[in-house]
Amino acid sequence: MNEDRRKLRDEVYSQMMLAQARLSKDANTQMGAVLVSGDGRVLSTGYNGAPKGFDDSTVPYTREKQKLAYDLLDADSGELISHHEFEANKYPFMVHAEINALHYAHGKVPPGSKLYVIGFPCERCALEIALSGVSEIFVAKDDYDPNSSLNNCRDTAYYMFAQADILVTICGKRMRPVISKCR
Ligand SMILES: Nc1ccn([C@H]2C[C@H](O)[C@@H](COP(=O)(O)O)O2)c(=O)n1
């Protein structure tokens, strides 16, 4: 593919993922992702949020912890066994945008596929991306709010991309991570 065509695709799919991000209910950071085959077909899209089926009114969407409660009922009689209260913030509940995009591709990720994401993937997502068979990722942004979890160290994620031979474009720079020796 020539350079102009690649740039045009990157622009078009970046706009799509930014539009996807607008659907996120995260109070601080809205992320979007678009998965595209090597021949330019959109395979799937995603944004960050609680899994399908979760009740949004009872899921935290903030960095601050909230009080949450649940009951354990006897599955047969419906009688209360125990009541529990705890505190949690959004982080354990948020499916990241890239994971939603990969999940809704239902395992159909042809070689040459490219995943467009707004923010640099965390190491758990990097592992899933490596597992998925994606060949390339495009990261739109490199500057995040200082309190965002997106500022975490990227070494493990890059190392995983090197292992899986995944190209990384970040802020317009296209790179091939490769495993190296400690000096
Ligand atoms: N590569 C990433 C990293 C994070 N997230 C999600 C998890 C949270 O919902 C939000 C980050 O929140 P915050 O900026 O408040 O740490 O973005 C995501 O979808 N994709």
Side-chain angles (χ1 to χ4, degrees):
M1 193 190 324
N2 75 35
E3 194 55 25
D4 285 349
R5 189 74 195 159
R6 184 181 2 257
K7 284 205 169 117
L8 178 62
R9 277 197 192 177
D10 287 353
E11 225 178 282
V12 168
Y13 299 124
S14 292
Q15 282 168 3
M16 282 185 72
M17 78 176 160
L18 290 169
Q20 274 292 309
R22 293 176 58 199
L23 295 169
S24 171
K25 295 175 184 162
D26 188 304
N28 316 100
T29 305
Q30 291 80 41
M31 302 296 263
V34 175
L35 180 63
V36 182
S37 68
D39 60 352
R41 309 280 143 216
V42 173
L43 301 169
S44 181
T45 59
Y47 56 88
N48 56 323
K52 187 169 175 249
F54 278 33
D55 173 359
D56 275 338
S57 68
T58 56
V59 169
Y61 272 94
T62 59
R63 291 175 187 159
E64 293 73 42
K65 287 191 172 176
Q66 293 174 27
K67 282 190 171 174
L68 302 171
Y70 67 96
D71 292 334
L72 289 176
L73 307 181
D74 184 297
D76 297 316
S77 69
E79 272 176 32
L80 179 69
I81 298 171
S82 53
H83 173 77
H84 303 263
E85 296 188 10
F86 69 110
E87 290 192 350
N89 60 18
K90 64 181 178 178
Y91 291 111
F93 292 95
M94 293 298 106
V95 181
H96 292 188
E98 50 271 63
I99 298 303
N100 270 321
L102 292 174
H103 177 79
Y104 287 105
H106 302 295
K108 297 193 176 74
V109 182
S113 296
K114 186 162 175 175
L115 182 64
Y116 290 83
V117 291
I118 293 181
F120 199 87
C122 70
E123 55 192 54
R124 298 309 305 168
C125 290
L127 198 61
E128 292 289 333
I129 292 168
L131 180 68
S132 73
V134 158
S135 303
E136 188 160 352
I137 64 165
F138 176 98
V139 184
K141 264 182 67 164
D142 202 15
D143 57 320
Y144 312 110
D145 133 28
N147 297 318
S148 172
S149 56
L150 277 131
N151 295 305
N152 289 347
C153 175
R154 297 172 180 177
D155 288 339
T156 311
Y158 269 122
Y159 200 78
M160 289 169 175
F161 295 143
Q163 296 285 358
D165 197 19
I166 294 171
L167 301 183
V168 180
T169 298
I170 179 160
C171 298
K173 185 95 189 136
R174 195 158 178 251
M175 299 180 287
R176 181 186 299 280
V178 291
I179 301 298
S180 184
K181 291 242 185 304
C182 294
R183 294 176 196 160

